[in-house]
Amino acid sequence: MILCTTPSFLWPWKCSAIVHSQGPLSPKTDFRASDTTIMQTHNKSLRSCECFDLHNEIVPYNKAWSWQKSMVRKRHTLIEKDEDYSDTLIVLQHPPVYTLGSGSSEEYLNFDKLNAPFDIYRTERGGEVTYHGPGQLVMYPILNLRHHKMDLHWYLRALEEVVIRTLFSTFSIKADRNAGFTGVWVGDCKLAAIGIRVSKWTTYHGLALNVTADLSPFQHIVPCGIRNRRVGNIKGLLDESRFSNGSERNIVLHTETVQLLDVTCESLLKEFSEVFQLALQCKPMSDRELL
C-alpha cells in the first residue's frame, strides 16, 4: 500500500516492448517478510515506511550518505527504547560520482585517482566500484530487518525482486538474476547494481537502477569488478525493442525522458511496498528532519 499523491501513468510501449533475457524469469518467490513482520490482518496493519521521494532531484552523494548515517543512528536509539515503529526509504538521483565499497580494489579504476573524471567516495557498503549519475534511480532503504527477516542473502534477493518485478510489470522487460553476481540482468547486460551495509540489523545504502543514465562513465571503471559484461539502461532496451520490431526509431524528447523516470519510480515504489509488505507514506524532506 502506498499513500502518495504522485500521478499514475500508462506507459505507451508496455504491450509492445518485450525484451527477453537468456533465461526464464525467476520463479515468483514469496519475498514477504517472516512471521515477525506486522502483516495486514483484521487486527493488524502493515508496518509503516516513511518514503522521501526525491526522484526528480539531483542530490550530492555526500549529502545523501550523511542522511543515511544520521537515520541509522536515530533508528538504533529508537530500537533501544523499543520505539521503532517504521522503516524509511529514500529515492533520488546523484550527480556524476564513483563510489567504492569498503573492500573495493582500485585495480578496477581505469584512470589515475589524482586525475579522476568525477569525485570518488570510499564507503562502508559491500561490493566493488560503481557509477552514479543523472538518469539513474537510487533507492536507499533504512529497514529494521528484525521486522522482516534477519538474513542478508534474503534481503539482497528481495531488492533484486523489486527491480525484476518493476521491469516486467511496467515495461514487459524480462530480467533475471545472474548466478554468482548480485544485481539484475537482461542477458549479459546489467541494469541494476546493489551494495548494502547492515548495522545491528538496520540496513542502509541500497540499489541503483539505470533508467536513462548516460552509460559512458562506466567505461572508465570495471563496474562491480565484473569484466566482460555490459551495463545497460531501460531506455536503451526499449529503443532496441522498437527498432528490432521494425518500428521507426523515434527521437526521445526531454519530456519523454522525464516521464520514463516518473513511471519507473512509481513502479519501484509499488513493488518495494509489495515485496517488503510495507505501507509507504510519502512525505516532504528537509535537512532539519534528517540531521
Side-chain angles (χ1 to χ4, degrees):
M1 178 173 64
I2 308 175
L3 302 178
C4 296
T5 57
T6 53
S8 297
F9 298 97
L10 177 61
W11 193 249
W13 303 325
K14 180 177 178 182
C15 296
S16 59
I18 301 176
V19 183
H20 294 283
S21 62
Q22 292 179 340
L25 185 67
S26 301
K28 200 162 186 177
T29 307
D30 183 1
F31 278 94
R32 290 179 297 178
S34 64
D35 293 339
T36 58
T37 306
I38 304 175
M39 303 300 289
Q40 189 173 28
T41 66
H42 293 296
N43 300 317
K44 296 181 180 180
S45 60
L46 295 177
R47 179 171 168 83
S48 174
C49 180
E50 298 176 316
C51 177
F52 298 106
D53 181 0
L54 304 176
H55 78 274
N56 280 322
E57 296 189 29
I58 308 295
V59 180
Y61 185 83
N62 58 346
K63 188 173 186 179
W65 190 13
S66 294
W67 287 347
Q68 293 177 76
K69 290 185 286 187
S70 175
M71 287 180 166
V72 169
R73 288 192 296 269
K74 289 181 179 179
R75 185 59 46 81
H76 287 165
T77 300
L78 291 173
I79 291 172
E80 290 172 1
K81 295 180 179 180
D82 197 24
E83 297 176 356
D84 174 45
Y85 304 124
S86 68
D87 291 321
T88 303
L89 175 65
I90 306 172
V91 186
L92 45 70
Q93 299 177 63
H94 287 306
V97 63
Y98 292 117
T99 68
L100 296 89
S102 58
S104 293
S105 172
E106 294 182 6
E107 71 175 283
Y108 298 123
L109 302 178
N110 298 330
F111 54 80
D112 183 344
K113 280 182 61 179
L114 299 178
N115 191 29
F118 308 116
D119 289 341
I120 306 174
Y121 291 92
R122 183 174 288 277
T123 74
E124 63 277 90
R125 66 163 173 80
E128 293 290 344
V129 62
T130 194
Y131 164 78
H132 298 302
Q136 180 191 79
L137 290 178
V138 182
M139 299 184 76
Y140 292 129
I142 293 89
L143 309 182
N144 181 354
L145 290 183
R146 294 177 182 84
H147 290 278
H148 298 276
K149 191 170 184 177
M150 295 166 68
D151 182 330
L152 300 190
H153 292 288
W154 172 88
Y155 179 57
L156 290 170
R157 303 294 83 78
L159 289 177
E160 291 168 346
E161 185 71 8
V162 170
V163 177
I164 289 170
R165 293 187 185 190
T166 294
L167 293 173
F168 189 73
S169 65
T170 306
F171 305 109
S172 295
I173 294 176
K174 199 172 182 182
D176 292 297
R177 297 173 179 85
N178 193 325
F181 301 121
T182 299
V184 176
W185 305 71
V186 175
D188 67 348
C189 182
K190 189 172 187 178
L191 264 66
I194 296 174
I196 65 168
R197 175 76 175 186
V198 178
S199 172
K200 299 179 182 178
W201 294 111
T202 301
T203 70
Y204 60 119
H205 294 285
L207 70 85
L209 173 61
N210 297 322
V211 183
T212 62
D214 175 12
L215 302 178
S216 61
F218 285 102
Q219 298 174 7
H220 300 296
I221 60 174
V222 180
C224 302
I226 304 172
R227 301 186 187 277
N228 303 318
R229 294 290 194 279
R230 297 185 299 136
V231 175
N233 60 29
I234 294 174
K235 178 181 176 296
L237 290 177
L238 293 176
D239 285 348
E240 288 176 12
S241 177
R242 286 185 291 166
F243 184 76
S244 64
N245 288 338
S247 302
E248 182 179 353
R249 186 164 184 165
N250 298 322
I251 298 175
V252 179
L253 301 177
H254 173 70
T255 53
E256 291 177 325
T257 298
V258 171
Q259 187 185 29
L260 184 53
L261 286 165
D262 290 340
V263 170
T264 305
C265 181
E266 183 179 22
S267 184
L268 280 171
L269 295 180
K270 174 181 177 295
E271 300 299 345
F272 181 88
S273 173
E274 182 175 315
V275 168
F276 287 98
Q277 289 291 283
L278 290 167
L280 300 190
Q281 298 179 331
C282 296
K283 57 186 295 186
M285 179 164 57
S286 67
D287 289 358
R288 184 178 300 176
E289 288 181 89
L290 297 173
L291 302 179

